[in-house]
Amino acid sequence: MKTIAAILFMILIAFGGLSAQQSNFYPTQRGNFMIGSSMGFSISKSSIDVQSNTGSVQGDGGRASQFNLSPSIGYFLGQNFVMGIGMDWLRTTSTAGVDLGDATVPPVRSENDNLLFGPFVRYYIPSGENKAYFLDATIGFGNSRNQFIENKETQIIDNSLLSIGVGPGFTIFASDGIALEALVKYNFAKSDSQINVGEISRTSVTWTNALDFSVGIRYYFGGVRPAAAQQQPIPLNSGSLYR
């Protein structure tokens, strides 16, 4: 995690001088790049289906609170439209509604670390000279490692994850390419896991619905664009930020 953050920071510094040379560009212009990160907090509710050689359990998967850190980098394929790739690191604290060994056992507390990678798309809708609304959609693939205690023994479960998120946001641009943003997103996640405890083998599928609120900082800098566009930059304060 620290290595990835350091790489993103170095990229940001490497392009720092480019903004000063291209102060007369508008952030969401075709050919620009966007790099940055957001952090947020979410609450979720899950349902679970556990199948094993001793029977099956279906029911409430419990509720969870989650902290996430999401660095990403994107390229503007068109005016106001950016596509890129991002990473999500999530730290989840939850109270399970169904015990994996016995449905009659009281809920247990667990902590999960999730790491997902995947593409994202975002479309901006301008609002004034230096503000914009946007719609953000992401898909994430990855693995999580869950730890729980059963019969006084700590068990480790490796899961495969699929996450889909979509939601609106709002951003404020500064003249130096820096922007602050806020985002509210609905996330749906599916987790598949294979669990082996003693002589019992279990396969579980968990569906999770979550509502996430996050804030972030982004840096927009000039990239590759047609020569005609480079010859006719539009100042941030011209009133034509998104043309």
mmCIF file with all atom_site columns, all heavy atoms in Angstrom, residues 80-99:
data_model
loop_
_atom_site.group_PDB
_atom_site.id
_atom_site.type_symbol
_atom_site.label_atom_id
_atom_site.label_alt_id
_atom_site.label_comp_id
_atom_site.label_asym_id
_atom_site.label_entity_id
_atom_site.label_seq_id
_atom_site.pdbx_PDB_ins_code
_atom_site.Cartn_x
_atom_site.Cartn_y
_atom_site.Cartn_z
_atom_site.occupancy
_atom_site.B_iso_or_equiv
_atom_site.pdbx_formal_charge
_atom_site.auth_seq_id
_atom_site.auth_comp_id
_atom_site.auth_asym_id
_atom_site.auth_atom_id
_atom_site.pdbx_PDB_model_num
ATOM 1   N N   . ASN A 1 80 ? -15.063 16.425  -21.140 1.00 0.00 ? 80 ASN A N   1
ATOM 2   C CA  . ASN A 1 80 ? -15.777 16.132  -19.890 1.00 0.00 ? 80 ASN A CA  1
ATOM 3   C C   . ASN A 1 80 ? -15.884 14.642  -19.572 1.00 0.00 ? 80 ASN A C   1
ATOM 4   O O   . ASN A 1 80 ? -16.523 14.280  -18.586 1.00 0.00 ? 80 ASN A O   1
ATOM 5   C CB  . ASN A 1 80 ? -17.194 16.729  -19.905 1.00 0.00 ? 80 ASN A CB  1
ATOM 6   C CG  . ASN A 1 80 ? -17.201 18.225  -20.093 1.00 0.00 ? 80 ASN A CG  1
ATOM 7   O OD1 . ASN A 1 80 ? -16.288 18.908  -19.650 1.00 0.00 ? 80 ASN A OD1 1
ATOM 8   N ND2 . ASN A 1 80 ? -18.221 18.738  -20.746 1.00 0.00 ? 80 ASN A ND2 1
ATOM 9   N N   . PHE A 1 81 ? -15.276 13.779  -20.374 1.00 0.00 ? 81 PHE A N   1
ATOM 10  C CA  . PHE A 1 81 ? -15.400 12.331  -20.166 1.00 0.00 ? 81 PHE A CA  1
ATOM 11  C C   . PHE A 1 81 ? -14.016 11.727  -19.928 1.00 0.00 ? 81 PHE A C   1
ATOM 12  O O   . PHE A 1 81 ? -13.125 11.824  -20.776 1.00 0.00 ? 81 PHE A O   1
ATOM 13  C CB  . PHE A 1 81 ? -16.048 11.667  -21.376 1.00 0.00 ? 81 PHE A CB  1
ATOM 14  C CG  . PHE A 1 81 ? -16.152 10.168  -21.261 1.00 0.00 ? 81 PHE A CG  1
ATOM 15  C CD1 . PHE A 1 81 ? -17.114 9.592   -20.449 1.00 0.00 ? 81 PHE A CD1 1
ATOM 16  C CD2 . PHE A 1 81 ? -15.282 9.342   -21.957 1.00 0.00 ? 81 PHE A CD2 1
ATOM 17  C CE1 . PHE A 1 81 ? -17.213 8.212   -20.329 1.00 0.00 ? 81 PHE A CE1 1
ATOM 18  C CE2 . PHE A 1 81 ? -15.370 7.964   -21.847 1.00 0.00 ? 81 PHE A CE2 1
ATOM 19  C CZ  . PHE A 1 81 ? -16.335 7.399   -21.027 1.00 0.00 ? 81 PHE A CZ  1
ATOM 20  N N   . VAL A 1 82 ? -13.843 11.110  -18.762 1.00 0.00 ? 82 VAL A N   1
ATOM 21  C CA  . VAL A 1 82 ? -12.553 10.526  -18.399 1.00 0.00 ? 82 VAL A CA  1
ATOM 22  C C   . VAL A 1 82 ? -12.725 9.043   -18.094 1.00 0.00 ? 82 VAL A C   1
ATOM 23  O O   . VAL A 1 82 ? -13.743 8.609   -17.550 1.00 0.00 ? 82 VAL A O   1
ATOM 24  C CB  . VAL A 1 82 ? -11.952 11.262  -17.171 1.00 0.00 ? 82 VAL A CB  1
ATOM 25  C CG1 . VAL A 1 82 ? -12.846 11.118  -15.945 1.00 0.00 ? 82 VAL A CG1 1
ATOM 26  C CG2 . VAL A 1 82 ? -10.554 10.752  -16.863 1.00 0.00 ? 82 VAL A CG2 1
ATOM 27  N N   . MET A 1 83 ? -11.718 8.275   -18.473 1.00 0.00 ? 83 MET A N   1
ATOM 28  C CA  . MET A 1 83 ? -11.682 6.841   -18.174 1.00 0.00 ? 83 MET A CA  1
ATOM 29  C C   . MET A 1 83 ? -10.306 6.524   -17.599 1.00 0.00 ? 83 MET A C   1
ATOM 30  O O   . MET A 1 83 ? -9.295  7.096   -18.037 1.00 0.00 ? 83 MET A O   1
ATOM 31  C CB  . MET A 1 83 ? -11.939 6.007   -19.420 1.00 0.00 ? 83 MET A CB  1
ATOM 32  C CG  . MET A 1 83 ? -11.839 4.495   -19.195 1.00 0.00 ? 83 MET A CG  1
ATOM 33  S SD  . MET A 1 83 ? -12.198 3.535   -20.705 1.00 0.00 ? 83 MET A SD  1
ATOM 34  C CE  . MET A 1 83 ? -13.965 3.821   -20.830 1.00 0.00 ? 83 MET A CE  1
ATOM 35  N N   . GLY A 1 84 ? -10.266 5.638   -16.617 1.00 0.00 ? 84 GLY A N   1
ATOM 36  C CA  . GLY A 1 84 ? -8.988  5.321   -16.022 1.00 0.00 ? 84 GLY A CA  1
ATOM 37  C C   . GLY A 1 84 ? -9.031  4.047   -15.213 1.00 0.00 ? 84 GLY A C   1
ATOM 38  O O   . GLY A 1 84 ? -9.939  3.223   -15.349 1.00 0.00 ? 84 GLY A O   1
ATOM 39  N N   . ILE A 1 85 ? -8.034  3.896   -14.357 1.00 0.00 ? 85 ILE A N   1
ATOM 40  C CA  . ILE A 1 85 ? -7.929  2.711   -13.516 1.00 0.00 ? 85 ILE A CA  1
ATOM 41  C C   . ILE A 1 85 ? -7.636  3.166   -12.087 1.00 0.00 ? 85 ILE A C   1
ATOM 42  O O   . ILE A 1 85 ? -6.947  4.157   -11.865 1.00 0.00 ? 85 ILE A O   1
ATOM 43  C CB  . ILE A 1 85 ? -6.834  1.754   -14.028 1.00 0.00 ? 85 ILE A CB  1
ATOM 44  C CG1 . ILE A 1 85 ? -6.881  0.429   -13.258 1.00 0.00 ? 85 ILE A CG1 1
ATOM 45  C CG2 . ILE A 1 85 ? -5.452  2.396   -13.928 1.00 0.00 ? 85 ILE A CG2 1
ATOM 46  C CD1 . ILE A 1 85 ? -6.066  -0.670  -13.912 1.00 0.00 ? 85 ILE A CD1 1
ATOM 47  N N   . GLY A 1 86 ? -8.213  2.429   -11.143 1.00 0.00 ? 86 GLY A N   1
ATOM 48  C CA  . GLY A 1 86 ? -8.038  2.808   -9.753  1.00 0.00 ? 86 GLY A CA  1
ATOM 49  C C   . GLY A 1 86 ? -7.859  1.607   -8.856  1.00 0.00 ? 86 GLY A C   1
ATOM 50  O O   . GLY A 1 86 ? -8.011  0.449   -9.272  1.00 0.00 ? 86 GLY A O   1
ATOM 51  N N   . MET A 1 87 ? -7.522  1.904   -7.625  1.00 0.00 ? 87 MET A N   1
ATOM 52  C CA  . MET A 1 87 ? -7.344  0.883   -6.606  1.00 0.00 ? 87 MET A CA  1
ATOM 53  C C   . MET A 1 87 ? -8.182  1.271   -5.403  1.00 0.00 ? 87 MET A C   1
ATOM 54  O O   . MET A 1 87 ? -8.308  2.458   -5.071  1.00 0.00 ? 87 MET A O   1
ATOM 55  C CB  . MET A 1 87 ? -5.881  0.769   -6.202  1.00 0.00 ? 87 MET A CB  1
ATOM 56  C CG  . MET A 1 87 ? -5.605  -0.321  -5.174  1.00 0.00 ? 87 MET A CG  1
ATOM 57  S SD  . MET A 1 87 ? -3.995  -0.146  -4.381  1.00 0.00 ? 87 MET A SD  1
ATOM 58  C CE  . MET A 1 87 ? -4.357  1.161   -3.193  1.00 0.00 ? 87 MET A CE  1
ATOM 59  N N   . ASP A 1 88 ? -8.781  0.291   -4.749  1.00 0.00 ? 88 ASP A N   1
ATOM 60  C CA  . ASP A 1 88 ? -9.535  0.527   -3.524  1.00 0.00 ? 88 ASP A CA  1
ATOM 61  C C   . ASP A 1 88 ? -8.958  -0.338  -2.413  1.00 0.00 ? 88 ASP A C   1
ATOM 62  O O   . ASP A 1 88 ? -8.905  -1.566  -2.544  1.00 0.00 ? 88 ASP A O   1
ATOM 63  C CB  . ASP A 1 88 ? -11.018 0.179   -3.699  1.00 0.00 ? 88 ASP A CB  1
ATOM 64  C CG  . ASP A 1 88 ? -11.753 1.210   -4.524  1.00 0.00 ? 88 ASP A CG  1
ATOM 65  O OD1 . ASP A 1 88 ? -11.598 2.403   -4.247  1.00 0.00 ? 88 ASP A OD1 1
ATOM 66  O OD2 . ASP A 1 88 ? -12.482 0.818   -5.448  1.00 0.00 ? 88 ASP A OD2 1
ATOM 67  N N   . TRP A 1 89 ? -8.506  0.312   -1.359  1.00 0.00 ? 89 TRP A N   1
ATOM 68  C CA  . TRP A 1 89 ? -8.127  -0.407  -0.142  1.00 0.00 ? 89 TRP A CA  1
ATOM 69  C C   . TRP A 1 89 ? -9.202  -0.132  0.887   1.00 0.00 ? 89 TRP A C   1
ATOM 70  O O   . TRP A 1 89 ? -9.535  1.019   1.171   1.00 0.00 ? 89 TRP A O   1
ATOM 71  C CB  . TRP A 1 89 ? -6.773  0.054   0.379   1.00 0.00 ? 89 TRP A CB  1
ATOM 72  C CG  . TRP A 1 89 ? -6.417  -0.602  1.690   1.00 0.00 ? 89 TRP A CG  1
ATOM 73  C CD1 . TRP A 1 89 ? -5.940  -1.860  1.881   1.00 0.00 ? 89 TRP A CD1 1
ATOM 74  C CD2 . TRP A 1 89 ? -6.549  -0.036  3.002   1.00 0.00 ? 89 TRP A CD2 1
ATOM 75  N NE1 . TRP A 1 89 ? -5.753  -2.108  3.216   1.00 0.00 ? 89 TRP A NE1 1
ATOM 76  C CE2 . TRP A 1 89 ? -6.126  -1.007  3.932   1.00 0.00 ? 89 TRP A CE2 1
ATOM 77  C CE3 . TRP A 1 89 ? -6.993  1.209   3.467   1.00 0.00 ? 89 TRP A CE3 1
ATOM 78  C CZ2 . TRP A 1 89 ? -6.116  -0.776  5.303   1.00 0.00 ? 89 TRP A CZ2 1
ATOM 79  C CZ3 . TRP A 1 89 ? -6.992  1.441   4.840   1.00 0.00 ? 89 TRP A CZ3 1
ATOM 80  C CH2 . TRP A 1 89 ? -6.549  0.466   5.742   1.00 0.00 ? 89 TRP A CH2 1
ATOM 81  N N   . LEU A 1 90 ? -9.772  -1.205  1.438   1.00 0.00 ? 90 LEU A N   1
ATOM 82  C CA  . LEU A 1 90 ? -10.903 -1.063  2.357   1.00 0.00 ? 90 LEU A CA  1
ATOM 83  C C   . LEU A 1 90 ? -10.618 -1.806  3.652   1.00 0.00 ? 90 LEU A C   1
ATOM 84  O O   . LEU A 1 90 ? -10.164 -2.958  3.641   1.00 0.00 ? 90 LEU A O   1
ATOM 85  C CB  . LEU A 1 90 ? -12.187 -1.608  1.731   1.00 0.00 ? 90 LEU A CB  1
ATOM 86  C CG  . LEU A 1 90 ? -12.547 -1.098  0.332   1.00 0.00 ? 90 LEU A CG  1
ATOM 87  C CD1 . LEU A 1 90 ? -12.140 -2.122  -0.724  1.00 0.00 ? 90 LEU A CD1 1
ATOM 88  C CD2 . LEU A 1 90 ? -14.029 -0.839  0.213   1.00 0.00 ? 90 LEU A CD2 1
ATOM 89  N N   . ARG A 1 91 ? -10.910 -1.144  4.736   1.00 0.00 ? 91 ARG A N   1
ATOM 90  C CA  . ARG A 1 91 ? -10.797 -1.747  6.060   1.00 0.00 ? 91 ARG A CA  1
ATOM 91  C C   . ARG A 1 91 ? -12.198 -1.830  6.643   1.00 0.00 ? 91 ARG A C   1
ATOM 92  O O   . ARG A 1 91 ? -12.847 -0.809  6.874   1.00 0.00 ? 91 ARG A O   1
ATOM 93  C CB  . ARG A 1 91 ? -9.906  -0.895  6.946   1.00 0.00 ? 91 ARG A CB  1
ATOM 94  C CG  . ARG A 1 91 ? -9.734  -1.435  8.363   1.00 0.00 ? 91 ARG A CG  1
ATOM 95  C CD  . ARG A 1 91 ? -8.950  -2.732  8.379   1.00 0.00 ? 91 ARG A CD  1
ATOM 96  N NE  . ARG A 1 91 ? -8.589  -3.143  9.721   1.00 0.00 ? 91 ARG A NE  1
ATOM 97  C CZ  . ARG A 1 91 ? -7.952  -4.276  10.001  1.00 0.00 ? 91 ARG A CZ  1
ATOM 98  N NH1 . ARG A 1 91 ? -7.598  -5.089  9.026   1.00 0.00 ? 91 ARG A NH1 1
ATOM 99  N NH2 . ARG A 1 91 ? -7.661  -4.596  11.240  1.00 0.00 ? 91 ARG A NH2 1
ATOM 100 N N   . THR A 1 92 ? -12.676 -3.042  6.878   1.00 0.00 ? 92 THR A N   1
ATOM 101 C CA  . THR A 1 92 ? -14.053 -3.258  7.286   1.00 0.00 ? 92 THR A CA  1
ATOM 102 C C   . THR A 1 92 ? -14.115 -3.860  8.678   1.00 0.00 ? 92 THR A C   1
ATOM 103 O O   . THR A 1 92 ? -13.410 -4.830  8.974   1.00 0.00 ? 92 THR A O   1
ATOM 104 C CB  . THR A 1 92 ? -14.782 -4.193  6.304   1.00 0.00 ? 92 THR A CB  1
ATOM 105 O OG1 . THR A 1 92 ? -14.689 -3.662  4.988   1.00 0.00 ? 92 THR A OG1 1
ATOM 106 C CG2 . THR A 1 92 ? -16.242 -4.353  6.688   1.00 0.00 ? 92 THR A CG2 1
ATOM 107 N N   . THR A 1 93 ? -14.963 -3.294  9.507   1.00 0.00 ? 93 THR A N   1
ATOM 108 C CA  . THR A 1 93 ? -15.272 -3.859  10.820  1.00 0.00 ? 93 THR A CA  1
ATOM 109 C C   . THR A 1 93 ? -16.739 -4.234  10.821  1.00 0.00 ? 93 THR A C   1
ATOM 110 O O   . THR A 1 93 ? -17.600 -3.398  10.548  1.00 0.00 ? 93 THR A O   1
ATOM 111 C CB  . THR A 1 93 ? -14.995 -2.845  11.937  1.00 0.00 ? 93 THR A CB  1
ATOM 112 O OG1 . THR A 1 93 ? -13.616 -2.447  11.885  1.00 0.00 ? 93 THR A OG1 1
ATOM 113 C CG2 . THR A 1 93 ? -15.292 -3.450  13.294  1.00 0.00 ? 93 THR A CG2 1
ATOM 114 N N   . SER A 1 94 ? -17.031 -5.507  11.082  1.00 0.00 ? 94 SER A N   1
ATOM 115 C CA  . SER A 1 94 ? -18.409 -5.968  10.942  1.00 0.00 ? 94 SER A CA  1
ATOM 116 C C   . SER A 1 94 ? -18.818 -6.878  12.090  1.00 0.00 ? 94 SER A C   1
ATOM 117 O O   . SER A 1 94 ? -17.984 -7.428  12.812  1.00 0.00 ? 94 SER A O   1
ATOM 118 C CB  . SER A 1 94 ? -18.584 -6.724  9.615   1.00 0.00 ? 94 SER A CB  1
ATOM 119 O OG  . SER A 1 94 ? -17.764 -7.874  9.585   1.00 0.00 ? 94 SER A OG  1
ATOM 120 N N   . THR A 1 95 ? -20.134 -7.015  12.230  1.00 0.00 ? 95 THR A N   1
ATOM 121 C CA  . THR A 1 95 ? -20.747 -7.981  13.137  1.00 0.00 ? 95 THR A CA  1
ATOM 122 C C   . THR A 1 95 ? -21.581 -8.925  12.294  1.00 0.00 ? 95 THR A C   1
ATOM 123 O O   . THR A 1 95 ? -22.580 -8.519  11.704  1.00 0.00 ? 95 THR A O   1
ATOM 124 C CB  . THR A 1 95 ? -21.639 -7.292  14.175  1.00 0.00 ? 95 THR A CB  1
ATOM 125 O OG1 . THR A 1 95 ? -20.846 -6.368  14.930  1.00 0.00 ? 95 THR A OG1 1
ATOM 126 C CG2 . THR A 1 95 ? -22.250 -8.319  15.119  1.00 0.00 ? 95 THR A CG2 1
ATOM 127 N N   . ALA A 1 96 ? -21.152 -10.172 12.176  1.00 0.00 ? 96 ALA A N   1
ATOM 128 C CA  . ALA A 1 96 ? -21.809 -11.136 11.297  1.00 0.00 ? 96 ALA A CA  1
ATOM 129 C C   . ALA A 1 96 ? -23.144 -11.568 11.874  1.00 0.00 ? 96 ALA A C   1
ATOM 130 O O   . ALA A 1 96 ? -23.289 -11.772 13.078  1.00 0.00 ? 96 ALA A O   1
ATOM 131 C CB  . ALA A 1 96 ? -20.911 -12.363 11.088  1.00 0.00 ? 96 ALA A CB  1
ATOM 132 N N   . GLY A 1 97 ? -24.125 -11.724 10.983  1.00 0.00 ? 97 GLY A N   1
ATOM 133 C CA  . GLY A 1 97 ? -25.445 -12.157 11.421  1.00 0.00 ? 97 GLY A CA  1
ATOM 134 C C   . GLY A 1 97 ? -25.597 -13.655 11.443  1.00 0.00 ? 97 GLY A C   1
ATOM 135 O O   . GLY A 1 97 ? -26.501 -14.196 12.069  1.00 0.00 ? 97 GLY A O   1
ATOM 136 N N   . VAL A 1 98 ? -24.721 -14.383 10.744  1.00 0.00 ? 98 VAL A N   1
ATOM 137 C CA  . VAL A 1 98 ? -24.775 -15.840 10.693  1.00 0.00 ? 98 VAL A CA  1
ATOM 138 C C   . VAL A 1 98 ? -23.401 -16.389 11.011  1.00 0.00 ? 98 VAL A C   1
ATOM 139 O O   . VAL A 1 98 ? -22.427 -16.048 10.356  1.00 0.00 ? 98 VAL A O   1
ATOM 140 C CB  . VAL A 1 98 ? -25.220 -16.341 9.293   1.00 0.00 ? 98 VAL A CB  1
ATOM 141 C CG1 . VAL A 1 98 ? -25.153 -17.853 9.233   1.00 0.00 ? 98 VAL A CG1 1
ATOM 142 C CG2 . VAL A 1 98 ? -26.620 -15.853 8.980   1.00 0.00 ? 98 VAL A CG2 1
ATOM 143 N N   . ASP A 1 99 ? -23.304 -17.216 12.039  1.00 0.00 ? 99 ASP A N   1
ATOM 144 C CA  . ASP A 1 99 ? -22.041 -17.867 12.352  1.00 0.00 ? 99 ASP A CA  1
ATOM 145 C C   . ASP A 1 99 ? -21.785 -18.969 11.334  1.00 0.00 ? 99 ASP A C   1
ATOM 146 O O   . ASP A 1 99 ? -22.677 -19.726 10.984  1.00 0.00 ? 99 ASP A O   1
ATOM 147 C CB  . ASP A 1 99 ? -22.077 -18.463 13.758  1.00 0.00 ? 99 ASP A CB  1
ATOM 148 C CG  . ASP A 1 99 ? -20.753 -19.085 14.141  1.00 0.00 ? 99 ASP A CG  1
ATOM 149 O OD1 . ASP A 1 99 ? -19.872 -18.345 14.583  1.00 0.00 ? 99 ASP A OD1 1
ATOM 150 O OD2 . ASP A 1 99 ? -20.619 -20.312 13.963  1.00 0.00 ? 99 ASP A OD2 1
#
